[in-house]
Amino acid sequence: MDSVNDFLVEVGGVVWGPYLLIPLLLGTGLVLTIRLKGIQFRKLWPALRLGLITRHDEGATEGDISQYQALTTALAATVGVGNIAGVGTAIYFGGPGALFWMWVTGLVGMASKYSEAFLGVKYRTTDAKGEQSGGPQYYLARAIPNKAGLVLSLLFAVFAVLASFGIGNMTQANTVATQLDGTFGVPTWLSGIVMTVLAAAVLLGGIKSIGRVTAGFVPAMILLYVGAGIIVLAVNFTQIPDAFALIFTDAFTGTAATGGFIGSVFMIALRYGVARGIFSNESGMGSAAIAAAAAQTTHPVRQGLVSMTQTFIDTIIVVTFTGLVIVTTGAWESGEQGAAMTSAGFADGLGGDWGHWIVAISVVFFAFSTILGWSYYGERCVERLVGRRGVVPYRAIFVIVVFIGATTQLEVVWNFSDVMNGLMALPNLIGLLVLSGLIARETKAYLDRDPYLLNGPVATDDPDVVK
């Protein structure tokens, strides 16, 4: 097992190294930001209004769940362990400067998230059961009309299925079980059984059941966590300016929390910031496009804008609160790693056991919601590879793996997850670059005739404009 783990570490170092995924991830986001004229900045408020206030796209006739439910399903999959343990891990190895690169990844990633959701809706199809199917496993093949597109789409589907058992299942279940055991003394086997039963109950209902559940508790779990973060920052408000200065300075010098050589160079802060950033918000990975494809929307642009807000909420809001709590309280120098570092920050800020309890409860909700979201991503990719006949067996195996993840040591699985995340992102990022011109043209054409997205309802006779 040690040799397998060493091999995965080596592969992960190449995939997430300075010559492959990091420049491709940031470069793709930057290219799309330029070609879309900074859509994540100039259309952020209309996008938030459309997703969080309007919630339903009036006049939509296709889709399985509302725009809001598609957003919360994607948020369920992304607001997870990466927002708690991932930030702590990034700062442990890369220092406070890693948070800066998580922000950069999120900001340019918003353009990537918009683009993949746009393509997910534009090229979605209907499966044998009448449900919507879409995502890179479809749009790469349908939008790139040659064998290259087909190969990219199949590679994405295979890597996404494998990743669903890692990032979307075992690592999440293990983090929940470990946290509950350490905080409340709950045996890992008991946590595993409860999560397995609850996951099975929700997953049997498919995307409509997942959408209803996530629409209910995803906003509540984010508000609980962010609310606790606000209290901690209010207590330590005098440290906030120094925290920002440290984050921006260390982004280019790289001082690891361990104080050792491992974080003494700029590339360590960059690598861990980008790697944990994509682990947290999944921008560029293509996964959120699968949820977007199930949305009831009148145009791909509208759902692309709604999906774009997911990265903003995940990284610019939730990750920022985690990082600032860790830095302002000095927890980044505590010697703790991952979720333990975040827990130490909240415990210092809130006093007593409250901090540990808040983080433990947040981990449970964040991680379990990720399991639900990723189960849908995995089953849609299984459906792409083998058809509807593979969906039920996949769900059964997925549920069983929840228990295995909760009761097993997972260093190998964490490294495996890092590799699979990178490998599933590669074909999608290549496809986004190839299709960037199409995305930019169609986005401009639609926005030019839909002033609602900027100024509110307008009088128009254009049937393609939803008032």
Side-chain angles (χ1 to χ4, degrees), residues 55 65-76 207 211 214-215 288 290-296 303 306-307 310 377:
R55 295 196 174 197
I65 54 178
S66 70
Q67 283 186 319
Y68 176 71
Q69 289 175 329
L71 172 62
T72 56
T73 298
L75 276 172
I207 184 57
T214 58
I290 301 173
Q296 298 163 346
Q303 184 56 41
V306 171
S307 296
Q310 171 209 328
Y377 295 165

Side-chain angles (χ1 to χ4, degrees), residues 14-94:
V14 173
V15 173
W16 288 102
Y19 305 111
L20 188 56
L21 194 57
I22 287 179
L24 183 59
L25 182 72
L26 295 178
T28 300
L30 185 59
V31 167
L32 291 167
T33 296
I34 294 171
R35 301 204 71 165
L36 291 167
K37 300 179 180 178
I39 192 169
Q40 67 267 51
F41 306 112
R42 62 191 177 92
K43 295 295 183 182
L44 177 59
W45 168 243
L48 288 168
R49 184 181 64 200
L50 186 61
L52 300 178
I53 299 175
T54 304
R55 295 196 174 197
H56 299 274
D57 206 354
E58 185 180 350
T61 57
E62 295 183 350
D64 302 317
I65 54 178
S66 70
Q67 283 186 319
Y68 176 71
Q69 289 175 329
L71 172 62
T72 56
T73 298
L75 276 172
T78 52
V79 179
V81 172
N83 297 81
I84 298 177
V87 178
T89 299
I91 293 177
Y92 179 82
F93 287 113

Side-chain angles (χ1 to χ4, degrees), residues 160-378:
V161 171
L162 293 174
S164 73
F165 291 106
I167 179 180
N169 190 324
M170 297 183 74
T171 59
Q172 309 293 331
N174 185 263
T175 303
V176 169
T178 302
Q179 191 75 33
L180 290 178
D181 184 26
T183 305
F184 303 112
V186 179
T188 55
W189 63 266
L190 180 58
S191 297
I193 291 175
V194 173
M195 283 189 288
T196 300
V197 172
L198 291 176
V202 176
L203 299 187
L204 286 176
I207 184 57
K208 293 182 179 180
S209 175
I210 294 172
R212 286 193 297 269
V213 172
T214 58
F217 80 80
V218 165
M221 75 181 192
I222 292 176
L223 289 174
L224 170 68
Y225 186 75
V226 171
I230 290 173
I231 295 174
V232 174
L233 294 182
V235 172
N236 296 277
F237 73 95
T238 58
Q239 301 299 318
I240 294 177
D242 290 340
F244 275 106
L246 181 62
I247 290 165
F248 282 98
T249 301
D250 272 22
F252 301 95
T253 58
T255 304
T258 55
F261 176 75
I262 191 171
S264 62
V265 294
F266 154 74
M267 275 308 304
I268 299 297
L270 175 61
R271 178 192 169 184
Y272 277 93
V274 174
R276 294 304 165 186
I278 193 174
F279 182 82
S280 173
N281 63 52
E282 300 178 15
S283 295
M285 286 177 60
S287 51
I290 301 173
Q296 298 163 346
T297 184
T298 56
H299 197 278
V301 168
R302 297 172 76 87
Q303 184 56 41
L305 291 172
V306 171
S307 296
M308 179 181 77
T309 66
Q310 171 209 328
T311 299
F312 177 82
I313 294 169
D314 176 275
T315 302
I316 307 305
I317 296 179
V318 182
V319 163
T320 295
F321 273 101
T322 301
L324 288 178
V325 165
I326 289 173
V327 178
T328 58
T329 61
W332 73 282
E333 297 179 298
S334 66
E336 300 287 359
Q337 182 179 350
M341 179 186 287
T342 304
S343 183
F346 275 91
D348 180 80
L350 296 177
D353 292 322
W354 283 102
H356 296 297
W357 293 344
I358 289 292
V359 171
I361 294 170
S362 297
V363 164
V364 171
F365 283 111
F366 282 21
F368 184 71
S369 68
T370 298
I371 290 172
L372 298 182
W374 266 91
S375 69
Y376 180 68
Y377 295 165

Side-chain angles (χ1 to χ4, degrees), residues 135-151:
Q137 74 274 26
Y138 283 100
Y139 65 65
L140 291 173
R142 301 182 72 186
I144 303 176
N146 50 48
K147 288 185 179 180
L150 177 61
V151 171

Side-chain angles (χ1 to χ4, degrees), residues 127-128 133 138 378-388 390-391:
D127 69 12
S133 286
Y138 283 100
E379 78 166 51
R380 290 295 90 187
C381 288
V382 166
E383 188 269 334
R384 169 70 172 92
L385 294 170
V386 300
R388 284 291 310 186
V391 170

